[in-house]
Amino acid sequence: MPPRFKPDVSTELLVWARESARLSVEAAAKKAGLKAHRLEAFEAGDDRPTLKQLVKLARTYQRPLGVFCLSSPPKDFDTKLRDFRRLATAEARAHSSELELQIRRSLARRELALELYRELEDEDPPKFPLRARLSDDPEQVGLRIREHLAVTTEKQQGWSSTSDALRNWRIALERANVLVFQAVGVEPNEVRGFSISEQPFPAVVTNTKDAPAGRIFTLFHELAHVMLNDGGLCDFYDRGSSHDRRIEAFCNRVAAATLLPRDAFLSDPLVVAKAGPRTWTNEELTRLSRRFRVSRQAILIRLITFGRATQTFYDRKKREFDEDWLKYREELKKSEGGPSYPARTVARDGRLFIRLILSSYDAENITSSDVSDYLGVKLRHLPQIREEVYETSS
């Protein structure tokens, strides 16, 4: 039997890829299906990984396989991210290896989407055209988003559930050439969402462990960051500057204005009946959130905006809702069932990204092995995934 092919990989690259993923040798080896002593041998130069082992390591570190062809670790490899949102109860701390991998995974998928589109069309994809400035009126920004996405209030209130609303908002964004991904394996008390503002194919990322209504709000909070294109690496640990607070408040108001247009919200009978600053019961807030298929936070922001609640009431309720959700997450972990594997794949990677892969496969630009590698699925799931991504929104 001929010897297995072992690419000539820099040991410095192997160490850099693992350490930048914030994984110990033991943790990385376990994720890649290797013995720890084998990985130690690779990093020491006493042995080299086979191509199959290198593919597994690339997947573990969420790095493109091609990066291991370099002679040394690249500088400024990671694209700068625009936002990093936490629950109000989260403490400032270094982010986990799981979050590092999800950030890198999103960056790699965006680059892959660009490459696949260019091969299919021989040109760059259209850019997402909407822009915003902090001096803009959030009400007008929200209306421009709704007009561009072509989603009416009547259509929104006709969706069958909050999960259905999340699905349809994602489809609307993807039709507008915004990639929508979901981070997995990261607790929502660490992060609820982030965005990649580079054009074309900007990306917004929500947390699959967050509630559907919370993810809807995150979609448009992150889209506001994309529209601002404020540049630079967001300070993950100190959100305390006045400029940061101004940006966050603006993005929250844009998200709320998009999801709850002024006229529709103020004409709701429950809102009409409570003119002036009032205290709202949880039941009333829940009724409004279910009517519009949005989070209670979005409702609170609109109540503040239109003078129907005080800032003190908002702050108290926001923290209360965040704590309620963390408790609910603990209960949810004990439940069984959930979406099918193909449905989870589509929810994680988004229809736009998966359609590009399927179109590239149909055009014979990539192989079935590429499809399996890019999506991390076995080919037997492909027919169900194809059926799921080509369903139309309601």
Side-chain angles (χ1 to χ4, degrees), residues 170-191:
R170 288 188 62 175
I171 289 173
L173 283 170
E174 289 173 321
R175 284 176 174 166
N177 291 306
V178 176
L179 292 162
V180 182
F181 303 133
Q182 291 199 110
V184 298
V186 181
E187 291 301 322
N189 64 330
E190 182 174 25
V191 66

Side-chain angles (χ1 to χ4, degrees), residues 55-285:
V55 167
K56 289 183 177 180
L57 287 172
R59 189 176 298 167
T60 297
Y61 303 144
Q62 290 297 315
R63 296 286 185 184
L65 185 60
V67 80
F68 293 98
C69 298
L70 301 175
S71 58
S72 61
K75 296 180 180 179
D76 300 325
F77 183 83
D78 290 331
T79 305
K80 293 178 179 180
L81 301 180
R82 299 291 187 259
D83 185 41
F84 185 89
R85 220 162 45 97
R86 296 179 186 271
L87 289 166
T89 53
E91 299 176 357
R93 61 182 181 276
H95 44 287
S96 65
S97 60
E98 288 79 9
L99 179 56
E100 283 273 358
L101 293 179
Q102 292 305 308
I103 292 172
R104 192 170 296 113
R105 187 176 190 276
S106 299
L107 294 167
R109 268 155 173 63
R110 176 184 172 271
E111 291 297 326
L112 177 59
L114 281 171
E115 180 183 339
L116 294 176
Y117 187 97
R118 287 165 178 161
E119 288 181 355
L120 285 167
E121 305 296 338
D122 198 28
E123 62 182 7
D124 281 344
K127 294 181 178 180
F128 181 73
L130 301 185
R131 290 289 179 267
R133 296 175 297 180
L134 283 178
S135 58
D136 289 346
D137 180 0
E139 300 297 322
Q140 294 302 313
V141 177
L143 288 175
R144 286 197 289 124
I145 292 172
R146 288 191 78 105
E147 181 179 352
H148 187 69
L149 298 183
V151 176
T152 64
T153 305
E154 292 74 22
K155 180 184 289 187
Q156 176 184 352
Q157 292 183 330
W159 291 331
S160 62
S161 64
T162 308
S163 295
D164 187 40
L166 173 61
R167 172 181 173 274
N168 280 287
W169 280 124
R170 288 188 62 175
I171 289 173
L173 283 170
E174 289 173 321
R175 284 176 174 166
N177 291 306
V178 176
L179 292 162
V180 182
F181 303 133
Q182 291 199 110
V184 298
V186 181
E187 291 301 322
N189 64 330
E190 182 174 25
V191 66
R192 299 187 81 170
F194 57 87
S195 57
I196 304 168
S197 296
E198 280 69 25
Q199 294 274 6
F201 280 166
V204 295
V205 186
T206 64
N207 191 330
T208 188
K209 291 189 176 184
D210 203 354
R215 278 178 270 170
I216 291 172
F217 190 85
T218 296
L219 284 177
F220 292 100
H221 177 101
E222 302 305 333
L223 186 66
H225 274 276
V226 169
M227 292 171 65
L228 285 172
N229 192 31
D230 47 295
L233 183 64
C234 185
D235 186 344
F236 288 176
Y237 309 110
D238 181 8
R239 308 291 298 180
S241 75
S242 59
H243 182 66
D244 284 339
R245 289 196 299 271
R246 186 183 176 200
I247 292 174
E248 290 303 294
F250 177 83
C251 292
N252 280 342
R253 289 184 65 190
V254 167
T258 303
L259 295 167
L260 296 158
R262 178 190 182 98
D263 292 346
F265 185 73
L266 291 180
S267 63
D268 185 276
L270 188 55
V271 179
V272 170
K274 300 186 74 167
R278 300 294 182 92
T279 298
W280 296 74
T281 67
N282 285 349
E283 181 184 359
E284 290 170 330
L285 295 173

Side-chain angles (χ1 to χ4, degrees), residues 2 17 48 114 118 130 139 213-214 222 234 248 291 295 313 325 327 345 357:
R48 292 187 303 189
L114 281 171
R118 287 165 178 161
L130 301 185
E139 300 297 322
E222 302 305 333
C234 185
E248 290 303 294
R291 191 168 300 163
S295 67
F313 178 77
W325 171 241
K327 293 175 183 176
T345 300
I357 290 176

